[in-house]
């Protein structure tokens, strides 16, 4: 199945879940709840666990019942527990002193769709750069996913790999078909698994559908782990296409795997109780970086009512960078579907690379069309229109005319816009009709070839129309068709383009924080795959699941080169060096349309690994910056003081300020009603002292931008300078975003941040407070 059409399978998945929930709730009124108690105040694990039991005793009749309800006790970094509770107990606990939040453990999904019978992918064809080889050996990357296939070459220990970093406190756990002695090595240094939550919520896993161990049955975890930190493997390919050298972003970095997602009919489902346990152990084990391609579509829960926000908040306090996928939705070009939006983590969009898979279609031996596919061998058949098998020409199982009419030997031509069918739906329908292959005509912007259950060639609507008209002219005469695969062609222009499935901003939770943060390759990525479920060791997958580990791999390299950088500094380096131009020197296209992308499609732009190592300036943040952000979001000092490490200043400022003032490497103002100044602070991390940075500004439409000071003069390495950006609305408008940018340049570094401003003025009078610094301001 095409791996980008989430909606169809997602709804199928939910249906399945509902059946399970109904079954469970008929026998037991308890659900799994998460009780979050903030920062763990006690270094003694047992004492913390006992305090959890004491709290539970207040809502249970006996100590035995209280103990039995507990699924997990979280004691390191964050304190809390997962327990079987009824809603009354949950409500009571939520009101108790020391409890920050109580929420139901949701079931989440990996950010690709079904992939059980599909294979590998190769993304990067070039050789590893010396930088990739020189750095990363001291960095441990934790992957929260569906586990690992340790025999894959991507996790082999490279020759000369040094000993495991002495800071490592993790484990390689034994389990079904998983022997630590042979599975783990100096590359794969840790592997754990968590299934208490999923089995409580969805019922016991069946023996043939999963390994009760860190071993990967879905394939997704093996794929993402090899993308982030896979060792160098020459000659990776999928049936001869996509040939090249496979390796992760940080091929020298160490890998620790936390299996929190489990196979349910080929889809990876994950319980928040298990994911929290994965976060907990990863932080305790001493990872430097966490990559999690997991999420769930909006409505988004408030901050601190999801594993993602809690886990990454405590990771941030320990200096651990957390990278999430932004999410995939079939309707993704619509705004505000972006997921994993907390300002202390990174949310990654997905875009294409410059590789295409041209496939020749020949009709009657002499008329040629070009499409795209991942077909690996030639197909010969008879061309047939969808109307021969499907009512109203709608390629869906529900419209199948007659189970006795077989499409055997036929290549069926379907149009996406007829009945609005996704390629997944059409593939399923043609498979059901026993068809030989599918020609799927759809708007150019949505075409993404995949490894499908029925060989599928994607063509654009023009080609599709010509093929259909040729078929119409032929009448009753059979039209022969040959499909001739290519090998993959590098150098497609324009590239990258944002994948249409990639979820867009603005954030539906905190629109003044730009999300997604950045985009990275997530279309037809070739990476490692469990070899027992196919004859291949590599598979192509698409999704923000695939772009997320790309960013994690590069973040690992930055961490290795700059070990003292905070997660915010690392994100700043990634974002301020990202680029907005494609190979045709134009703005990256937004998938799902033929329009140029904006920061809500790509964040700050496309990942630029080399430049990110040396950004010149960084926009750094500490826990205190996030505390002020939380104050402005309406959290009370009491709540906040529970969540931060002792000794942190938790006083809220007397005056509410806009959350736009968080020192983020992007300026987003979702409601500009009057002239407003926004503050940013940058630190010199370049090699030179006595450096001057000058601004270059692109103003958003209808907004004047003033910046002060006009020059940033750094005398010393690590100097910090604050500057102010004053935004002055110059138009009557409601609800439309306009975009610009600010670039600070010392001629060598171009430190760029995007501006996204929504002017919201209804009356004819543009009111404004006095513009601070405007007299000294630079207008551009
Ligand atoms: C919830 O559980 C408690 C303790 O077992 C019990 O006393 C209470 O009646 C239950 N409430 C509901 C609504 O089931
Ligand atoms: C292509 O082949 C068909 C069938 O063999 C034949 O009828 C037609 O004339 C050919 N067209 C061209 C342009 O050669
Ligand atoms: C399919 O074929 C069988 C056997 O020829 C026949 O009994 C049945 O009625 C047919 N079904 C339909 C829906 O036409
Ligand atoms: C096609 O779908 C129908 C209804 O869902 C099912 O009964 C039938 O077995 C399917 N046939 C094939 C070949 O998959
Ligand atoms: C993989 O397949 C081989 C060959 O069939 C078998 O011996 C091995 O046990 C399988 N491994 C796992 C982990 O299932
Ligand atoms: C725009 O301003 C109006 C009036 O102040 C306000 O009610 C509305 O919520 C604002 N819109 C946005 C998107 O902030």
């Amino acid at each position: 199945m095409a791996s980008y059409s989430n909606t169809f399978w997602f709804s199928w998945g939910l249906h399945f879940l509902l059946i399970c929930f109904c079954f469970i709730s008929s026998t037991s009124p308890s659900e799994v709840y998460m009780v979050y108690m903030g920062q763990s105040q006690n270094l003694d694990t047992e004492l913390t666990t006992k305090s959890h039991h004491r709290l539970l005793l207040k809502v249970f009749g006996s100590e035995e019942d209280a103990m039995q309800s507990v699924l997990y006790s979280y004691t390191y970094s964050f304190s809390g527990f997962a327990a079987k509770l009824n809603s009354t107990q949950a409500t009571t606990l939520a009101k108790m002193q020391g409890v920050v939040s109580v929420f139901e453990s949701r079931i989440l999904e990996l950010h690709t769709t079904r992939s059980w019978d599909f294979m590998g992918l190769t993304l990067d064809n070039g050789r590893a750069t010396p930088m990739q080889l020189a750095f990363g050996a001291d960095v441990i990357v934790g992957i929260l996913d569906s586990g690992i296939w340790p025999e894959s070459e991507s996790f082999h220990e490279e020759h000369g790999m040094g000993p495991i970093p002495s800071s490592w406190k993790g484990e390689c756990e034994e389990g079904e078909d998983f022997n630590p002695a042979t599975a783990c090595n100096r590359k794969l240094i840790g592997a754990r698994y968590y299934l208490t939550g999923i089995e409580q919520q969805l019922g016991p896993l069946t023996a043939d559908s999963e390994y009760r161990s860190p071993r990967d049955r879905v394939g997704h975890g093996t794929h993402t782990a090899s993308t982030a930190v896979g060792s160098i493997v020459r000659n990776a390919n999928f049936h001869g296409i996509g040939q090249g050298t496979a390796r992760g972003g940080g091929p020298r970095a160490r890998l620790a795997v936390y299996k929190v997602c489990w196979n349910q009919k080929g889809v990876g489902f994950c319980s928040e109780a298990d994911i929290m346990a994965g976060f907990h152990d990863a932080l305790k084990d001493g990872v430097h970086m966490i990559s999690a391609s997991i999420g769930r579509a909006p409505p988004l829960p408030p901050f601190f009512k999801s594993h993602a926000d809690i886990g990454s908040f405590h990771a941030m306090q320990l200096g651990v960078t957390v990278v999430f996928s932004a999410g995939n939705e079939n309707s993704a070009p619509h705004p505000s579907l972006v997921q994993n939006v907390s300002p202390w983590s990174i949310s990654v969009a997905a875009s294409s690379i410059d590789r295409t898979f041209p496939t020749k279609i020949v009709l009657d031996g002499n008329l040629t069309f070009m499409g795209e596919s991942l077909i690996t061998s030639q197909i010969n058949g008879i061309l047939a229109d969808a109307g021969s098998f499907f009512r109203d020409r709608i390629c869906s199982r529900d419209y199948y005319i007659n189970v006795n009419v077989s499409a055997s030997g036929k290549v069926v031509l379907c149009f996406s816009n007829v009945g609005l069918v996704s390629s997944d739906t059409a593939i399923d329908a043609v498979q059901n009709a026993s068809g030989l292959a599918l020609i799927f005509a759809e708007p150019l912007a949505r075409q993404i070839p995949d490894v499908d259950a029925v060989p599928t060639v994607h063509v654009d609507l023009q080609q599709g129309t010509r093929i259909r008209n040729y078929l119409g002219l032929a009448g009753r005469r059979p039209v022969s068709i040959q499909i001739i695969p290519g090998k993959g062609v590098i150098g497609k222009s324009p590239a990258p383009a944002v994948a249409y499935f990639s979820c867009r901003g603005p954030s539906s939770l905190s629109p003044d924080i730009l999300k997604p943060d950045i985009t990275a390759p997530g279309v037809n990525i070739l990476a490692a795959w469990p070899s027992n479920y196919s004859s291949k060791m590599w598979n192509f997958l698409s999704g923000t699941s695939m772009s997320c580990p790309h960013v994690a791999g590069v973040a690992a390299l930055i961490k290795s080169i700059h070990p003292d950088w905070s997660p915010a500094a690392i994100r700043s380096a990634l974002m301020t060096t990202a680029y907005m131009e494609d190979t045709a020197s134009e703005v990256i296209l937004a998938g799902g349309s033929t329009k140029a992308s904006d920061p809500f499609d790509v964040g700050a732009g496309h990942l630029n690994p080399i430049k990110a190592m040396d950004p010149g300036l960084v926009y750094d943040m500490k826990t205190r910056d996030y505390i002020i952000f939380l104050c402005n979001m309406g959290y009370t000092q009491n709540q906040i003081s529970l969540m931060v490490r002792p000794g942190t200043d938790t006083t809220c400022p007397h005056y509410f300020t806009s959350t736009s003032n968080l020192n983020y490497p992007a300026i987003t103002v979702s409601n500009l009603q009057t002239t407003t100044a926004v503050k940013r602070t940058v630190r010199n991390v370049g090699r030179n002292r006595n450096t001057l940075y000058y601004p270059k500004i692109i103003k958003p439409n209808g907004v004047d931008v003033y910046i002060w000071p006009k020059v940033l003069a750094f005398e010393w390495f690590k100097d910090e300078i604050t500057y102010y950006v004053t935004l002055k609305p110059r138009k009557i408008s409601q609800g439309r975003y306009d975009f610009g940018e600010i670039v600070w340049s010392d001629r060598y570094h171009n430190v760029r941040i995007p501006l996204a401003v929504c002017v919201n003025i209804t009356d004819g009078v543009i009111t404004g407070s006095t513009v601070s610094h405007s007299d000294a301001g630079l207008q551009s």
Side-chain angles (χ1 to χ4, degrees):
M1 291 306 126
S3 62
Y4 51 95
S5 175
N6 221 354
T7 316
F8 180 76
W9 291 111
F10 185 67
S11 48
W12 180 86
L14 273 187
H15 181 61
F16 169 71
L17 293 187
L18 287 176
I19 294 167
C20 294
F21 283 139
C22 298
F23 178 72
I24 288 168
S25 55
S26 67
T27 57
S28 144
S30 309
E31 298 283 2
V32 176
Y33 280 89
M34 312 292 296
V35 178
Y36 169 55
M37 302 173 67
Q39 173 72 31
S40 181
Q41 306 293 344
N42 205 322
L43 285 177
D44 188 329
T45 307
E46 264 180 48
L47 282 181
T48 312
T49 307
K50 275 194 186 132
S51 74
H52 298 159
H53 291 162
R54 265 202 308 281
L55 201 68
L56 273 167
L57 204 49
K58 295 180 183 169
V59 294
F60 277 103
S62 74
E63 190 157 347
E64 199 191 348
D65 287 350
M67 299 280 271
Q68 268 184 1
S69 73
V70 180
L71 269 59
Y72 292 105
S73 220
Y74 312 113
T75 57
Y76 180 86
S77 182
F78 53 88
S79 169
F81 52 90
K84 287 171 278 174
L85 302 170
N86 64 33
S87 58
T88 323
Q89 292 167 315
T91 315
T92 312
L93 281 171
K95 289 181 199 134
M96 287 190 178
Q97 175 134 29
V99 173
V100 179
S101 62
V102 176
F103 54 100
E104 267 187 76
S105 168
R106 301 178 303 160
I107 296 291
L108 292 97
E109 257 193 295
L110 291 167
H111 273 153
T112 42
T113 52
R114 300 204 306 176
S115 45
W116 69 95
D117 50 356
F118 312 127
M119 309 297 118
L121 80 134
T122 173
L123 171 56
D124 300 323
N125 269 304
R127 259 172 277 149
T129 64
M131 179 188 73
Q132 276 184 301
L133 296 184
F135 295 101
D138 42 359
V139 177
I140 302 162
V141 178
I143 308 268
L144 272 55
D145 209 300
S146 63
I148 192 84
W149 194 263
E151 290 80 16
S152 165
E153 280 187 80
S154 290
F155 312 117
H156 283 182
E157 187 176 295
E158 285 190 10
H159 181 67
M161 203 161 194
I164 293 170
S166 58
S167 61
W168 179 240
K169 296 191 279 291
E171 257 182 62
C172 189
E173 285 178 358
E174 193 172 347
E176 184 183 350
D177 281 316
F178 199 88
N179 176 2
T182 50
C184 286
N185 52 31
R186 288 180 175 187
K187 177 75 191 178
L188 177 61
I189 64 171
R192 298 179 186 271
Y193 64 105
Y194 307 86
L195 41 66
T196 318
I198 198 91
E199 290 204 307
Q200 179 62 38
Q201 294 188 257
L202 295 189
L205 298 161
T206 52
D208 56 347
S209 74
E210 259 297 356
Y211 300 100
R212 301 178 81 84
S213 75
R215 184 175 290 277
D216 183 8
R217 185 65 177 80
V218 178
H220 191 277
T222 301
H223 199 277
T224 54
S226 69
T227 300
V229 297
S231 301
I232 292 160
V233 183
R234 301 203 193 285
N235 220 2
N237 68 77
F238 174 75
H239 288 289
I241 63 173
Q243 186 88 26
T245 300
R247 87 280 184 196
R252 288 276 190 263
R254 317 297 175 130
L255 172 62
V257 165
Y258 299 85
K259 179 175 174 182
V260 295
C261 298
W262 298 84
N263 180 34
Q264 300 265 354
K265 306 202 173 180
V267 184
F269 284 115
C270 343
S271 150
E272 280 196 292
D274 296 330
I275 305 174
M276 279 291 270
F279 262 106
H280 175 268
D281 287 357
L283 297 178
K284 195 171 180 184
D285 290 347
V287 305
H288 300 105
M289 203 69 52
I290 290 175
S291 179
S293 297
I294 305 169
R296 190 159 153 173
L300 303 178
F303 293 128
F304 304 109
K305 283 201 170 188
S306 80
H307 73 282
D309 304 333
I310 295 171
S312 56
F313 186 75
H314 290 276
M316 174 275 295
Q317 292 190 70
L318 292 169
V320 173
T321 295
V322 180
V323 188
F324 290 115
S325 42
N328 316 328
E329 291 294 319
N330 210 14
S331 53
H334 296 302
S336 293
L337 289 167
V338 65
Q339 301 159 33
N340 298 317
V341 299
S342 65
W344 41 84
S345 61
I346 301 174
S347 184
V348 186
S351 42
S352 62
I353 55 173
D354 67 341
R355 187 173 54 193
T356 53
F357 300 92
T359 303
K360 206 192 269 186
I361 299 169
V362 184
L363 303 185
D364 281 337
N366 58 21
L367 188 61
T368 301
F369 299 90
M370 289 308 284
E372 270 207 83
S373 78
L374 295 182
I375 288 170
T376 53
S377 54
Q378 182 167 334
I379 293 168
N380 301 310
I382 301 294
L383 182 65
D385 187 70
S388 309
F389 309 102
F390 302 104
R391 267 183 290 123
D392 302 331
R393 306 186 54 245
I394 296 174
C395 290
S396 155
R397 193 184 269 242
D398 301 341
Y399 288 77
Y400 194 18
I401 290 173
N402 186 331
V403 290
N404 285 354
V405 181
S406 168
S408 163
K410 301 278 167 44
V411 176
V412 184
L413 173 67
C414 293
F415 279 75
S416 69
N417 59 308
V418 178
L420 287 179
V421 291
S422 68
S423 57
D424 273 349
T425 305
I427 288 163
D428 172 70
V430 172
Q431 185 180 28
N432 185 253
S434 308
L436 178 64
L438 166 66
I439 308 284
F440 194 64
E442 61 192 327
L444 190 59
R446 292 177 79 89
Q447 278 188 47
I448 295 177
D450 208 330
V451 183
D452 298 313
V454 172
T456 301
V457 188
H458 296 253
V459 297
D460 64 23
L461 289 176
Q462 281 175 24
Q463 303 262 322
T465 303
R466 287 178 57 209
I467 294 171
R468 177 163 148 74
N469 290 344
Y470 182 82
L471 194 57
L473 277 181
R476 289 175 165 274
R477 178 179 68 79
V479 173
S480 77
I481 177 168
Q482 286 170 290
I483 301 174
I484 304 160
K487 291 266 175 219
V489 173
I490 313 280
K492 179 196 176 178
S493 190
V498 180
Y500 81 83
F501 57 71
S502 180
C503 288
R504 316 299 160 101
S507 159
S508 52
L509 196 54
S510 51
D512 289 322
I513 303 297
L514 181 67
K515 293 286 166 179
D517 293 285
I518 193 164
T519 189
V523 174
N524 287 321
I525 304 304
L526 184 64
W529 198 250
S531 50
N532 271 34
Y533 304 110
S534 67
S535 52
K536 299 95 205 163
M537 285 143 60
W538 306 95
N539 195 13
F540 283 103
L541 292 183
S542 296
T544 51
S545 275
M546 282 63 243
S547 56
C548 170
H550 278 90
V551 171
V554 172
L557 289 179
I558 302 178
K559 181 77 185 171
S560 181
I561 295 170
H562 307 285
D564 58 333
W565 282 14
S566 70
I570 290 173
R571 177 187 36 221
S572 173
L574 292 165
M575 287 176 73
T576 61
T577 57
Y579 58 87
M580 282 299 290
E581 270 189 9
D582 64 21
T583 46
S585 300
E586 313 230 35
V587 175
I588 294 171
L589 284 176
S593 74
T594 50
K595 309 267 171 16
S597 62
D598 62 47
F600 293 137
D601 302 304
V602 295
H606 192 280
L607 177 67
N608 191 347
I610 307 277
K611 289 246 159 127
M613 303 302 141
D614 177 22
L617 305 176
V618 294
Y619 294 75
D620 203 358
M621 280 181 273
K622 299 190 176 66
T623 307
R624 177 72 192 148
D625 295 272
Y626 298 115
I627 289 173
I628 295 168
F629 166 81
L630 290 172
C631 293
N632 289 325
M633 287 289 289
Y635 289 81
T636 66
Q637 195 175 336
N638 275 346
Q639 288 172 312
I640 295 169
S641 57
L642 284 174
M643 300 187 294
V644 299
R645 306 179 83 180
T648 318
D649 176 6
T650 56
T651 49
C652 281
H654 292 302
Y655 301 102
F656 171 85
T657 52
S658 161
T659 50
S660 301
N661 276 315
L662 184 69
N663 202 37
Y664 218 74
I667 293 176
T668 312
V669 181
S670 62
N671 187 11
L672 187 69
Q673 298 191 326
T674 174
T675 300
T676 301
V678 177
K679 183 177 119 171
R680 286 292 183 272
T681 302
V682 283
R683 189 171 76 230
N684 180 21
V685 294
R687 276 183 212 94
N688 297 330
R689 299 184 284 143
N690 296 320
T691 317
L692 299 180
Y693 276 86
Y694 295 92
K696 279 178 282 187
I697 299 170
I698 297 176
K699 292 191 301 177
N701 231 340
V703 180
D704 282 349
V705 180
Y706 305 87
I707 202 159
W708 182 89
K710 287 189 246 177
V711 183
L712 302 181
F714 294 95
E715 286 176 25
W716 297 99
F717 183 68
K718 289 193 176 179
D719 262 3
E720 289 201 340
I721 297 179
T722 293
Y723 70 90
Y724 296 85
V725 179
T726 302
L727 303 167
K728 186 174 183 188
R730 313 246 355 148
K731 63 175 181 184
I732 306 296
S733 173
Q734 303 99 40
R736 176 198 159 124
Y737 274 96
D738 293 284
F739 305 97
E741 65 181 37
I742 295 172
V743 181
W744 288 101
S745 178
D746 67 352
R747 281 165 221 274
Y748 178 70
H749 301 98
N750 290 303
V751 188
R752 180 182 161 279
I753 63 169
L755 286 175
V757 181
C758 185
V759 173
N760 182 15
I761 294 175
T762 38
D763 61 17
V765 189
I766 300 177
T767 52
S769 59
T770 324
V771 181
S772 50
H773 313 294
S774 67
D775 43 352
L778 172 88
Q779 187 173 3
S780 69

